[in-house]
């Protein structure tokens, strides 16, 4: 954000007030514009390096002169009520905020703003000086499971990361439209419909639609394997017969008959009926899709995920797909190659890495790429987005790079520039306790049961929890989500039920414990919000109190930084750092038993910490609990 005027951000970020103050004081000393200094003042990794840091070379100071300039500017820095004289560290200037004004600015701000502390809704305005012009709009596609197939690890990561990014951009004031682009079209639905006709059970379908569809889908694939193997053998015979220059008329006819009467052949025929608008086929497909979506909604609700639109491959009209293919052909972007239609990116040195993309197969059928082109253009027509995000695994890096480049080549550079692929690495070993690779619900069930076992070990506290099963379910979900968000998105990780449910270390249950402990302190203190508002914050002079307040003051800056990194671990890393600072304070900053005024001041600090932790957890998509039956 390139503004050094604190009023422009309406004091939404304490650190921006200090940036403005420091840059105004440094401008006459350095001869550099205050706005330039403002932009280069960054938060530090650890409190011992200050609250803000300025790399002197970033102000276009020659590297050989940077250390001397840092020393010179430090010595010339005037006295300030808000910051200490800067400390030099090589070519860096380190700024430490004076504790009392920082605490008096930060704690009341958190207590007043509550859930909105850390957000800055003005960032999402098209024109911050004129709110009537409305918000910028983001379309974000995430999760996107395939109906009748397991909700696998890739879908889990996409769901968690996409949910977080949606929350993040909403906190920045954007109008966010969440889209679930389902895998709900293709030959497999012909296979599924036929499987239901052969093995379907109405009661099982109503009770567990996705599970039942998956079971019958697996069964029909298994039952059809012998005939598919037979067809494969016949095709190998045909190949050999052609090579031997024999008459293959009878063999070709036999293969054709085998294919048309096979399970897969009937599936293709059913899907053709579906594509042609056959009412009976559409009714069956619609029912499968609707039942699946209803089940998905319940699972997503457990993860605090919601969608504005349940779209899917089926929702891209055939006319759009054909129009996209035609436009590619007319513009000379696509070409014919061995009966198929392709786009050859290797001809241009700048796009060589994009290889060759197949637009249409030899049989004339369109592929995902053409469908995705049609969908991208449809989304722009519907939503006129400023940003379109695809939260998809890194295995699709090439596919999406091809898609964005094709949009450019079709003359839609304005749309392509607004598209972004947020990728991620894969999860390894995501299995249930029984060793099956199944559905997300099974993983969440196992994690919840594991946390319930842990909670039951502390019988005294267990009986105080109003709904222990529900609490253990929340803890299990938190464990799964936090393990997923701990590392950088691009890195994969090994799924470990034991590690993620541990109460020690940087885990989801540890964060929940930290929040529950703060809630417990609040209950025991028995102070009102008015008591906290009138607290004498000058009493918070201990290093533990000061360091906690410094950490809490940086939360809005962390949120702004996360808009740049788009990494859940940016937020998660901050929350762990803050809770570690918090846990080291309890023995020093006691509330119960303290002198009344000191008790109020410390409780105001702890309530501010609870609010920031609550805000951070909710931004990540977690549900903070108020009571726990265990402790690390």
């Amino acid at each position: 954000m390139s503004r050094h005027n604190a009023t422009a951000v309406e004091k939404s970020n304490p650190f921006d007030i200090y940036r403005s103050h420091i840059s105004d004081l440094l401008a006459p000393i350095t001869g550099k514009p205050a706005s330039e200094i403002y932009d280069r003042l960054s938060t530090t990794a650890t409190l011992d390096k200050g609250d803000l840091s300025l790399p002197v070379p970033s102000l276009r100071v020659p590297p050989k002169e940077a250390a001397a300039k840092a020393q010179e500017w430090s010595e010339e820095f005037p006295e300030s009520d808000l910051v200490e004289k800067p400390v030099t560290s090589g070519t860096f200037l380190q700024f430490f905020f004076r504790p009392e004004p920082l605490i008096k600015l930060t704690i009341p701000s958190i207590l007043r703003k509550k859930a909105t502390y850390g957000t800055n809704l003005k960032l999402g305005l098209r024109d911050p000086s004129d709110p009537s012009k409305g918000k910028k709009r983001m379309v974000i596609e995430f999760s996107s499971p395939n109906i009748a197939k397991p909700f696998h690890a890739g879908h889990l990561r996409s769901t968690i990361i996409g949910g977080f990014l949606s929350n993040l951009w909403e906190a920045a004031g954007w109008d966010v439209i969440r889209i679930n682009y389902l895998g709900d079209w293709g030959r497999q639905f012909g296979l599924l419909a036929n499987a239901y006709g052969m093995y379907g059970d109405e009661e099982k379908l109503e009770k567990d639609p996705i599970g039942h569809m998956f079971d019958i889908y697996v069964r029909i694939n298994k039952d059809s394997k012998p005939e598919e193997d037979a067809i494969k053998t016949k095709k190998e015979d045909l190949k050999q017969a052609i090579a031997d220059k024999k008459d293959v008329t009878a063999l070709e006819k036999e293969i054709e008959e085998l294919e048309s009467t096979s399970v897969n052949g009937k599936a293709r025929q059913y899907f053709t009926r579906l594509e042609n608008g056959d009412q009976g086929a559409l009714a069956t497909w619609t029912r499968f899709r609707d039942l699946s979506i209803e089940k998905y909604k319940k699972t997503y609700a457990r993860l605090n995920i919601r969608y504005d639109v349940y779209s899917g491959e089926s929702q891209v009209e055939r006319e759009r797909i054909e129009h996209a293919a035609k436009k590619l052909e007319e513009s000379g972007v696509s070409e014919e190659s061995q009966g198929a239609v392709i786009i050859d990116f290797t001809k241009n040195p700048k796009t060589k890495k994009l290889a060759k993309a197949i637009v249409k197969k030899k049989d004339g059928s369109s592929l995902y790429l053409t469908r995705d082109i049609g969908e991208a253009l449809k989304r722009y027509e519907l939503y006129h987005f400023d940003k379109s995000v695809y939260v998809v695994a890194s295995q699709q890096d090439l596919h999406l790079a091809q898609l964005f480049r094709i949009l450019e080549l079709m003359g839609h550079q304005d749309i392509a520039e607004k598209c972004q692929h947020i990728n991620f690495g894969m999860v390894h070993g995501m299995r249930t306790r029984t060793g099956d690779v199944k559905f997300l619900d099974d993983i969440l069930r196992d994690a919840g049961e594991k946390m319930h076992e842990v909670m039951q070990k502390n019988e005294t506290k267990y009986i105080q929890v109003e709904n222990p099963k529900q609490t253990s379910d929340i803890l299990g979900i938190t464990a799964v989500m936090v393990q997923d968000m701990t590392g950088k998105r691009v890195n994969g990780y090994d799924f470990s039920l034991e590690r993620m449910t541990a109460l020690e270390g940087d885990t989801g249950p540890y964060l929940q414990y930290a929040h529950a402990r703060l809630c417990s302190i609040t209950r025991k203190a028995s102070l009102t919000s008015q008591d906290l508002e009138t607290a004498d914050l000058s009493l918070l002079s201990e290093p533990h109190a000061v360091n906690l307040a410094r950490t809490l003051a940086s939360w809005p800056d962390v949120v702004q930084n996360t808009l740049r990194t788009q990494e859940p671990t940016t937020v998660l890393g901050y929350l762990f750092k803050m809770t570690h600072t918090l846990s080291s304070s309890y023995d020093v900053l006691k509330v119960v038993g303290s002198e009344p005024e000191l008790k109020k001041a410390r409780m105001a600090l702890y309530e501010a910490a609870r609010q920031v932790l609550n805000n951070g957890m909710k931004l990540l998509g977690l549900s903070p609990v108020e009571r726990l039956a265990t402790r690390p």
Side-chain angles (χ1 to χ4, degrees):
M1 180 170 52
S2 182
R3 49 168 83 113
H4 74 282
N5 185 348
T7 58
V9 291
E10 294 185 326
K11 299 183 180 179
S12 64
N13 182 351
F15 272 48
D16 285 339
I17 295 170
Y18 283 85
R19 281 190 177 92
S20 179
H21 178 69
I22 292 167
S23 54
D24 284 341
L25 293 179
L26 272 179
I29 298 169
T30 62
K32 308 291 182 182
S35 58
E36 189 178 339
I37 298 168
Y38 180 101
D39 286 342
R40 284 154 181 78
L41 284 164
S42 58
T43 49
T44 59
T46 53
L47 294 177
D48 61 304
K49 289 182 172 62
D51 297 290
L52 285 172
S53 174
L54 177 68
V56 172
S58 70
L59 294 175
R60 292 171 285 114
V61 174
K64 290 183 179 179
E65 300 173 20
K69 279 292 180 188
Q71 189 62 44
E72 179 189 322
W73 293 348
S74 173
E75 290 170 1
E76 292 181 21
F77 194 83
E79 282 295 317
S80 162
D81 292 335
L82 295 182
V83 293
E84 310 276 359
K85 213 167 185 60
V87 175
T88 58
S89 177
T91 59
F92 286 80
L93 281 176
Q94 297 173 343
F95 295 89
F96 290 80
F97 302 164
R98 292 190 185 277
E100 191 169 328
L102 177 69
I103 290 171
K104 287 183 176 179
L105 169 71
T106 303
I107 305 304
S109 176
I110 298 171
L111 297 181
R112 184 178 66 256
K113 292 179 179 178
K114 295 183 167 52
T116 63
Y117 179 70
T119 65
N120 184 358
L121 300 181
K122 281 201 165 188
L123 295 174
L125 294 176
R126 295 187 183 281
D127 182 354
S129 64
D130 184 4
S132 68
K133 291 182 179 177
K135 300 175 178 181
K136 288 181 274 191
R137 176 172 287 170
M138 171 195 277
V139 170
I140 180 166
E141 173 195 313
F142 62 103
S143 193
S144 307
N146 297 305
I147 287 175
K149 291 185 180 179
F151 193 107
H152 64 64
H155 299 133
L156 172 68
R157 294 216 74 190
S158 176
T159 304
I160 292 171
I161 295 166
F164 163 71
L165 290 172
S166 302
N167 296 341
L168 178 68
W169 287 95
E170 273 187 339
W174 282 59
D175 175 21
V176 177
I177 296 172
R178 298 161 168 85
I179 294 181
N180 199 338
Y181 187 66
L182 301 170
D184 63 354
W185 203 241
R187 183 189 61 83
Q188 72 267 27
F189 285 95
L191 202 59
L192 182 62
N194 290 337
Y196 189 71
M198 294 163 67
Y199 323 114
D201 183 308
E202 185 65 23
E203 191 177 326
K204 287 180 180 177
L205 183 68
E206 287 287 345
K207 187 179 178 182
D208 182 13
I210 296 173
H212 185 54
M213 281 189 271
F214 174 66
D215 289 341
I216 62 174
Y217 185 76
V218 169
R219 184 174 173 184
I220 199 167
N221 273 290
K222 184 181 177 183
D223 290 353
S224 67
K225 193 174 186 306
E227 64 183 16
E228 289 303 310
D229 288 344
I231 292 169
K232 185 180 177 183
T233 301
K234 290 289 181 183
K235 284 184 174 180
E236 288 170 356
D237 292 343
L238 176 65
K239 191 176 179 182
Q240 187 60 51
I242 293 170
D244 295 340
K245 298 182 179 179
K246 292 180 180 178
D247 181 7
V248 294
T249 308
L251 189 54
E252 283 179 333
K253 189 176 180 182
E254 185 183 356
I255 291 171
E256 188 180 333
E257 288 177 0
L258 283 172
E259 285 189 324
S260 65
T261 57
S262 71
V263 167
N264 278 310
K266 290 175 182 175
R268 281 187 288 272
Q269 292 159 23
Y270 192 98
F271 184 61
T272 300
R273 286 170 53 202
L274 198 56
E275 283 193 304
N276 292 334
D278 180 274
Q279 291 303 305
L282 277 171
T284 302
W285 169 82
T286 301
R287 184 159 183 246
F288 287 164
R289 187 179 190 273
D290 290 348
L291 284 169
S292 298
I293 288 173
E294 284 308 306
K295 176 62 177 171
Y296 283 137
K297 283 180 178 178
K298 291 174 183 175
T299 301
Y300 289 133
R302 297 175 69 192
L303 299 169
N304 294 318
I305 299 286
R306 62 178 174 82
Y307 287 95
D308 301 291
V309 181
Y310 277 86
S311 182
E313 295 163 12
S314 65
Q315 305 303 297
V316 188
E317 299 86 348
R318 187 186 291 185
E319 297 77 28
R320 286 185 182 275
I321 298 169
E322 289 172 354
H323 175 73
K326 188 178 179 182
K327 193 168 181 181
L328 287 168
E329 185 183 346
E330 289 174 350
S331 60
V333 174
S334 64
E335 61 187 74
E336 194 173 314
S337 175
Q338 297 177 347
V341 179
I342 69 162
I343 298 172
D344 189 353
F345 291 107
T346 63
K347 291 181 177 179
N348 185 334
K350 291 182 180 178
T351 59
K352 198 174 181 180
K353 289 182 179 178
L354 296 180
K356 296 178 182 179
I358 302 175
V359 177
K360 274 190 177 180
K361 292 191 287 187
K362 290 179 183 179
D363 62 6
S365 59
S366 298
L367 291 168
Y368 288 117
L369 187 57
T370 332
R371 193 179 294 275
D372 285 349
I373 294 166
E375 174 66 10
L377 297 177
K378 180 180 180 180
R379 285 180 194 176
Y380 191 71
E381 285 176 25
L382 288 173
Y383 306 115
H384 301 287
F385 54 75
D386 298 279
K387 195 181 195 53
S388 179
V389 174
Y390 296 76
V391 186
V392 184
S394 52
Q395 287 100 320
Q396 298 296 320
D397 284 356
L398 178 62
H399 174 77
L400 285 160
Q402 289 176 337
L403 170 63
F404 301 160
R405 180 60 179 158
I406 290 168
L407 288 172
E408 285 181 28
L409 294 172
M410 290 175 71
H412 299 295
Q413 187 167 353
D414 56 332
I415 298 175
E417 287 174 350
K418 293 172 181 177
C419 294
Q420 183 183 10
H421 176 202
I422 299 288
N423 63 0
F424 53 85
M426 292 308 295
V427 189
H428 309 291
M430 193 176 94
R431 285 178 165 78
T432 61
R433 281 175 160 182
T434 56
D436 302 323
V437 181
K438 268 270 186 173
F439 301 100
L440 176 61
D441 280 340
D442 300 319
I443 299 296
L444 299 182
R445 180 204 64 222
D446 279 8
E449 286 176 357
K450 177 72 175 171
M451 290 313 308
H452 192 236
E453 289 169 11
V454 174
M455 286 172 62
Q456 285 176 307
K457 290 176 183 176
N458 190 328
E459 192 176 336
T460 307
K461 294 203 172 193
Y462 182 81
I463 59 174
Q464 295 174 15
V465 179
E466 192 173 327
N467 191 333
K469 290 289 283 184
Q470 183 183 15
T471 300
S472 63
D473 185 58
I474 292 171
L475 286 177
I477 291 167
T478 303
V480 171
M481 293 177 73
V482 167
Q483 178 173 250
D484 192 88
M485 295 186 278
T486 297
K488 285 196 171 181
R489 281 186 285 103
V490 74
N491 298 330
Y493 67 90
D494 294 319
F495 188 89
S496 169
L497 194 65
E498 292 299 320
R499 188 171 65 248
M500 75 168 75
T501 54
L503 290 167
E504 297 80 21
D506 292 346
T507 64
Y510 175 82
L511 279 186
Q512 290 285 17
Y513 166 74
H515 187 268
R517 185 168 184 182
L518 286 166
C519 292
S520 174
I521 292 171
T522 301
R523 289 191 295 271
K524 289 174 182 174
S526 299
L527 294 172
T528 66
S529 56
Q530 191 175 4
D531 289 332
L532 304 187
E533 288 166 13
T534 57
D536 181 1
L537 300 177
S538 65
L539 297 174
L540 298 173
S541 56
E542 302 90 346
H544 283 84
V546 172
N547 285 341
L548 182 53
R550 289 169 69 194
T551 306
L552 298 177
S554 69
W555 168 241
D557 221 58
V558 170
V559 178
Q560 283 189 30
N561 187 40
T562 309
L563 288 168
R564 290 187 286 273
T565 67
Q566 301 196 88
E567 293 276 3
T569 192
T570 306
V571 169
L572 198 58
Y574 166 83
L575 293 182
F576 283 127
K577 183 172 78 170
M578 190 267 277
T579 50
H580 294 325
T581 304
L582 187 65
S583 63
S584 68
S585 303
Y586 290 132
D587 290 338
V588 181
L589 307 175
K590 293 184 183 297
V591 173
V592 178
S594 296
E595 182 270 325
E597 287 304 312
L598 189 58
K599 177 182 178 180
K600 283 164 61 176
R602 287 176 175 173
M603 195 57 240
L605 177 65
Y606 283 144
E607 174 54 24
R610 188 207 62 78
Q611 186 67 66
V612 170
L613 178 56
N614 188 286
N615 293 358
M617 290 175 74
K618 286 182 175 175
L619 188 64
L620 291 170
L622 308 176
S623 300
V625 299
E626 295 188 4
R627 288 183 188 268
L628 268 187
T630 188
R631 58 177 291 171

